[in-house]
Amino acid sequence: MSDVRDRNESAWLLTKDGSRMQHGLREDMRRFDDTDEVDAVIIGAGAGGGTMTQRLARLGWKIVTFDAGPFWVPEADWVSDEAGSHNLYWTEPRQIGGGDPVPLGSNNSGRGVGGSMVHYAGYTPRFHPSDFRTMTLDGVGADWPIAYPDLKPYYELIEGELPVSGEHWPWGDPHDYPYRPQPVGGNGELFLRGALAAGIEAHVGPVAISNGRFGNRPHCIYRGFCLQGCKVNAKASPLITHIPDALAHGAEIRPDSMVTRIGIDELTGRATGVHYIRDGLERFQRARTVIVAGYSIETPRLLLNSTSARFPNGLANDFDQVGRYLMVQGAPQTAGRFEAEVRMFKAPPPEVSSEQFYETDPHKPYKRGFSIQTVSPLPITWAEHVMAQGRWGGEFRDYMSDYVHWACLGALCEFLPQPDNRVTLADEKDRHGMPVAHFSYTRCDNDRQLMSAATEVMERILKAAGADEVMTINRNAHLVGGARMAADEQHGVVDRDCRSFAVPNLMITDGSVLPTQGSANPALTIMAVAARAADRLIDRPID
Amino acid sequence: MTRAVRFPGFNVRSQSDHWDDATRAVIVGRVNALPAVRFFTPAEEAAAKCLLDQLVDQRTEPGSPRVDLVRMVDARLAEKQTDGWRYDTMPPDGAAWQQTLAALDEDSQRDHGVGFARCTWEEQHAMLEAFRDADDPNWHGLPRSQVWNLWTRYAATAFYSHPELWNEIGFSGPAYPRGYKNLGIDRLESYEVHDAEPGDDPMAGGTE
Ligand SMILES: Cc1cc2nc3c(=O)[nH]c(=O)nc-3n(C[C@H](O)[C@H](O)[C@H](O)COP(=O)(O)OP(=O)(O)OC[C@H]3O[C@@H](n4cnc5c(N)ncnc54)[C@H](O)[C@@H]3O)c2cc1C
Ligand code: SF4
């Protein structure tokens, strides 16, 4: 653990009780002027941007990291309540369409320092080696310009920094976690029991909640509100895993500042800084390098809105790649009813997972696969599950009163990247006059087959555990892609080191660069990709 | 039909001394300090109240919880507190609510000669049942399923944010800073209460 502290001191920079940053760290934060040409601006302090901020600050770069949302103080700003957590989500206007429109907001988009990881569940699996070569292996999806061994050392580093707890992981590239698995609640217990009875392998983890204290961060108290922001600071998010160390190394975090356009020098074609709005005023911060990390909807939106004579269709969009190949994971959710009381709201929702069905099975008609995990919806989310079944009125309310008897599993199906699943700019404008994002999504046949296969397995597990009834709804989870990395500029927006093909000093280091998604939750991989991109700046500086 | 009390004596609010200040403030505000209606017109308010009550089967019966759904939804619309997305085939949420409530009144005028709020509980229920069962994917020029999604989403979010309903379903509410000590099947904290009607599996028709 001491080696973690040497390279990232964040957990030791909180007060002894772990409740907040040490005195002065935030108040005395270094502050730059708009006219200072800083080494880099980073747009978004989430998984990718937060990691990048810490890495570059450690390299001695002068950094300003913008976030459109607040610089959270968990004890004061977050609540142990579902409806009261609404302000954690990105709720600016957005439009959805296509054959299978994907709801946004609470489901997948955060806002504020820490990004979507503030209210992510906390699963942190690695991608499998096959994920980086799906086109070669299976004739679907895309090959990445990097391979698993390129990311492996960064997976190990980040797993130490979050840190991750779980059992020995037998799937993909088998590995161990720095912390032992967490105890499980009723939902995890039933998943393990059902999987065993059905002959399916399942394990506890991997979750970014340490088992025990970590630095000054306290132990989890099993309160089950991980998706509402962890007030305890037991669950990892960049707000506590990377930002404190970045501040200690001289980075500035500029919250409540929405970046609306990236500036371009029409002569040299280089990025010059960012236009942003703070307190109602439009401003411009100069920078030598611009690093975008606003996630799969806002990153394409910002690039598309950054037009110039050189880039009339949006920045780095010469080949109409920006916004395309955006993916969600199909996330059917199957619940099972037990005579006993499960009380799935007790314990963190992320507990147990299985990756047994992750890889392509040559005996099946579809390619690629899915994973299965515990999800433990709180009452409002559970009500959505029950209503999505078409129930309403008295029947709906009777179902709800049965809440303590239900266990709930969720699958993550590897939906394939498709060019027309994309972000464009709508005619509608937000209150700053910036066009809002339109996100179009349509599933392909392989996607649909995966969803029914995953549902079948989840029903099998729950019945094997003793459920007398099961019910499934179809939903989506996570976002990746939208500005993917590729071998060349005709197939993507950035190269293997997250540098844009079109603008030498423009980088993208967030979920939008992922060319495929596997059936793993994406945050760990996003952080690993960002950490690698930061390291590459040492060996291959921007000229 | 009165609903059987499944968790007799369970009262989430009796634990509020164990909640943190920020959480307590939010929940007390939700229960006691809702602003007056300011987004809906009186006609919209009347229709919305009946619609929302129908969706979650909230009737005025002595002893049963009353959640002021219309004020909760009105507050969200007035503050533009949306879910962060809307279908490109629907107007923005505020306009969508206004338009659909007017359409509901129009249907009700046509079928019963009065607005939706003046119909009996049974008539309202039948109208919504018919709305659900209709084959036409459009309703007054809007996609029927997306209208239903809008109504139910707002109704469910408001209803199950209320501590009275947590009592009804046995949910223990805010759990910080105390957390839970007894995880696992059939295990309770000292203040939790077992289901008195565990055989009431709604799917098995236990409550019919
Ligand atoms: C409910 C939920 C559950 C999830 N569960 C898991 C899970 O269990 N495991 C997992 O791995 N992943 C999970 N995820 C997904 C995970 O959180 C995201 O994939 C990840 O955080 C994305 O990282 P990012 O850096 O791309 O973007 P984010 O972390 O979203 O950060 C982007 C940041 O950029 C800011 N921003 C955007 N545009 C601008 C702009 N123009 N100007 C200024 N700031 C801007 C935003 O405010 C935001 O803070 C979950 C997500 C949600 C919402
Ligand atoms: S269950 Fe644990 S990790 Fe999740 S919010 Fe509660 S204390 Fe944090």
Side-chain angles (χ1 to χ4, degrees):
Chain A
M1 217 194 313
S2 64
D3 72 310
V4 174
R5 185 171 181 175
D6 288 344
R7 62 192 155 81
N8 180 350
E9 207 175 4
S10 293
W12 291 266
L13 292 169
L14 304 182
T15 51
K16 280 277 177 256
D17 67 355
S19 67
R20 55 186 64 226
M21 283 186 210
Q22 275 172 16
H23 185 72
L25 201 52
R26 218 173 121 167
E27 295 74 4
D28 305 337
M29 171 173 77
R30 186 167 178 189
R31 287 184 171 80
F32 295 95
D33 284 331
D34 284 342
T35 47
D36 292 338
E37 192 187 51
V38 294
D39 294 319
V41 291
I42 298 175
I43 301 147
T51 306
M52 205 66 188
T53 304
Q54 186 260 347
R55 292 304 202 256
L56 295 184
R58 281 246 168 187
L59 290 180
W61 286 39
K62 295 195 189 95
I63 300 290
V64 177
T65 296
F66 290 84
D67 204 286
F71 199 155
W72 302 113
V73 178
E75 182 61 30
D77 297 339
W78 298 348
V79 291
S80 191
D81 178 72
E82 243 184 318
S85 301
H86 204 266
N87 55 350
L88 301 182
Y89 319 140
W90 189 284
T91 54
E92 299 284 304
R94 285 168 171 174
Q95 294 182 21
I96 62 171
D100 303 285
V102 173
L104 300 168
S106 65
N107 197 33
N108 46 33
S109 323
R111 183 169 168 276
V113 177
S116 305
M117 282 179 76
V118 163
H119 72 117
Y120 82 145
Y123 280 113
T124 42
R126 296 184 189 178
F127 280 19
H128 288 197
S130 66
D131 286 322
F132 300 81
R133 310 169 57 225
T134 62
M135 182 50 89
T136 300
L137 294 173
D138 296 313
V140 295
D143 289 351
W144 294 43
I146 55 174
Y148 177 81
D150 294 310
L151 273 194
K152 178 171 177 165
Y154 298 97
Y155 277 139
E156 288 169 349
L157 289 174
I158 302 285
E159 281 166 357
E161 290 165 61
L162 293 177
V164 181
S165 65
E167 291 184 65
H168 168 74
W169 216 246
W171 294 289
D173 175 29
H175 56 276
D176 290 297
Y177 289 109
Y179 277 79
R180 285 183 306 111
Q182 301 278 354
V184 298
N187 203 14
E189 204 176 317
L190 287 168
F191 184 3
L192 288 170
R193 185 197 297 176
L196 190 68
I200 291 166
E201 191 173 354
H203 291 286
V204 181
V207 296
I209 308 171
S210 80
N211 193 356
R213 274 179 78 82
F214 177 70
N216 293 336
R217 279 167 54 197
H219 195 290
C220 168
I221 60 170
Y222 306 109
R223 64 193 258 275
F225 282 87
C226 304
L227 280 79
Q228 285 66 37
C230 180
K231 280 190 82 125
V232 177
N233 284 337
K235 186 193 75 171
S237 88
L239 180 67
I240 51 170
T241 61
H242 289 80
I243 299 299
D245 191 67
L247 293 180
H249 286 84
E252 178 188 341
I253 305 295
R254 206 171 289 173
D256 306 305
S257 300
M258 174 74 186
V259 174
T260 52
R261 256 170 356 101
I262 296 167
I264 275 288
D265 183 326
E266 298 278 9
L267 283 178
T268 61
R270 292 175 73 90
T272 53
V274 293
H275 299 269
Y276 69 100
I277 297 176
R278 180 162 200 189
D279 298 331
L281 288 184
E282 193 163 328
R283 297 164 166 276
F284 185 78
Q285 173 70 54
R286 296 176 62 219
R288 247 191 290 283
T289 306
V290 172
I291 301 174
V292 190
Y295 206 7
S296 293
I297 306 287
E298 293 307 314
T299 288
R301 177 187 179 210
L302 177 61
L303 295 175
L304 292 172
N305 195 48
S306 300
T307 51
S308 58
R310 163 70 186 85
F311 293 105
N313 301 318
L315 195 57
N317 196 26
D318 293 333
F319 294 91
D320 192 19
Q321 292 289 310
V322 171
R324 290 193 185 274
Y325 302 102
L326 217 156
M327 289 160 269
V328 298
Q329 280 163 332
Q333 193 168 287
T334 302
R337 205 264 177 194
F338 294 82
E339 187 82 11
E341 291 178 21
V342 184
R343 297 191 173 251
M344 60 180 166
F345 55 86
K346 290 162 71 165
E351 297 192 287
V352 177
S353 28
S354 172
E355 294 176 8
Q356 178 167 328
F357 306 92
Y358 195 109
E359 302 283 339
T360 297
D361 177 347
H363 303 296
K364 301 282 192 220
Y366 50 80
K367 304 288 187 199
R368 307 303 298 160
F370 52 88
S371 62
I372 296 177
Q373 305 176 329
T374 46
V375 291
S376 301
L378 293 179
I380 291 175
T381 325
W382 177 243
E384 284 169 11
H385 185 124
V386 177
M387 270 192 163
Q389 293 257 311
R391 299 176 209 286
W392 68 282
E395 193 197 12
F396 162 69
R397 195 149 154 201
D398 288 343
Y399 259 92
M400 288 301 297
S401 74
D402 207 39
Y403 176 55
V404 301
H405 292 281
W406 290 81
C408 196
L409 303 180
L412 297 176
C413 303
E414 178 176 349
F415 281 5
L416 297 172
Q418 299 179 69
D420 292 338
N421 288 341
R422 71 176 304 190
V423 166
T424 51
L425 298 180
D427 293 334
E428 183 184 346
K429 304 254 168 63
D430 69 10
R431 62 183 283 268
H432 302 306
M434 185 174 171
V436 312
H438 179 280
F439 175 27
S440 176
Y441 209 89
T442 306
R443 292 177 192 146
C444 68
D445 206 39
N446 201 75
D447 299 345
R448 281 186 286 269
Q449 291 184 49
L450 283 175
M451 290 200 67
S452 39
T455 302
E456 187 267 321
V457 171
M458 289 190 289
E459 292 181 351
R460 191 142 56 89
I461 293 172
L462 288 164
K463 284 181 180 158
D468 40 38
E469 300 291 345
V470 291
M471 60 177 177
T472 297
I473 59 159
N474 282 338
R475 46 184 294 282
N476 309 290
H478 308 139
L479 299 164
V480 295
R484 68 179 183 177
M485 61 164 69
D488 61 58
E489 58 192 0
Q490 321 226 347
H491 297 93
V493 181
V494 297
D495 69 9
R496 59 203 314 269
D497 297 336
C498 298
R499 321 263 175 99
S500 81
F501 291 111
V503 182
N505 62 339
L506 175 73
M507 297 179 70
I508 304 174
T509 61
D510 63 9
S512 49
V513 302
L514 272 49
T516 62
Q517 58 180 349
S519 7
N521 321 59
L524 179 80
T525 299
I526 295 169
M527 294 180 116
V529 165
R532 179 181 177 277
D535 258 11
R536 294 291 300 151
L537 286 166
I538 305 170
D539 296 340
R540 194 191 142 211
I542 290 175
D543 44 44
Chain B
M1 180 197 74
T2 4
R3 198 160 268 106
V5 176
R6 297 187 72 160
F7 303 91
F10 178 57
N11 183 359
V12 173
R13 267 187 281 180
S14 72
Q15 300 299 312
S16 62
D17 284 353
H18 298 279
W19 302 349
D20 64 284
D21 294 342
T23 302
R24 193 177 315 106
V26 162
I27 292 171
V28 167
R30 183 177 304 149
V31 175
N32 297 328
L34 285 174
V37 170
R38 64 209 131 125
F39 178 83
F40 289 132
T41 63
E44 289 160 0
E45 177 189 350
K49 179 185 182 317
C50 297
L51 169 64
L52 291 162
D53 282 350
Q54 280 285 345
L55 291 174
V56 300
D57 194 37
Q58 176 163 247
R59 308 187 196 210
T60 342
E61 273 164 2
S64 60
R66 288 286 326 151
V67 178
D68 203 338
L69 292 171
V70 77
R71 274 161 80 193
M72 294 168 88
V73 170
D74 183 86
R76 279 190 65 180
L77 295 173
E79 284 155 25
K80 296 203 171 114
Q81 200 204 76
T82 70
D83 285 326
W85 57 273
R86 70 173 165 88
Y87 294 108
D88 58 8
T89 38
M90 288 282 283
D93 287 9
W97 270 97
Q98 291 171 317
Q99 216 173 306
T100 55
L101 291 170
L104 199 55
D105 270 339
E106 215 178 294
D107 283 6
S108 167
Q109 285 289 353
R110 181 196 61 209
D111 297 344
H112 303 286
V114 288
F116 187 69
R118 299 256 180 228
C119 293
T120 65
W121 177 271
E122 284 69 29
E123 285 165 348
Q124 290 169 355
H125 191 86
M127 277 181 68
L128 293 176
E129 197 75 50
F131 177 97
R132 290 280 301 144
D133 292 343
D135 292 328
D136 186 349
N138 288 305
W139 179 72
H140 292 268
L142 294 172
R144 186 182 297 270
S145 62
Q146 294 174 3
V147 171
W148 187 255
N149 175 290
L150 176 84
W151 289 345
T152 54
R153 201 155 28 95
Y154 275 79
T157 304
F159 202 51
Y160 287 98
S161 71
H162 200 285
E164 285 292 343
L165 273 299
W166 302 340
N167 293 342
E168 183 171 303
I169 69 174
F171 171 61
S172 301
Y176 174 83
R178 180 168 53 179
Y180 293 118
K181 304 223 159 34
N182 300 304
L183 309 179
I185 310 285
D186 271 337
R187 296 190 62 201
L188 299 185
E189 310 301 309
S190 60
Y191 50 90
E192 292 182 317
V193 173
H194 273 302
D195 181 6
E197 316 270 337
D200 263 9
D201 177 359
M203 267 201 183
T207 48
E208 300 303 342

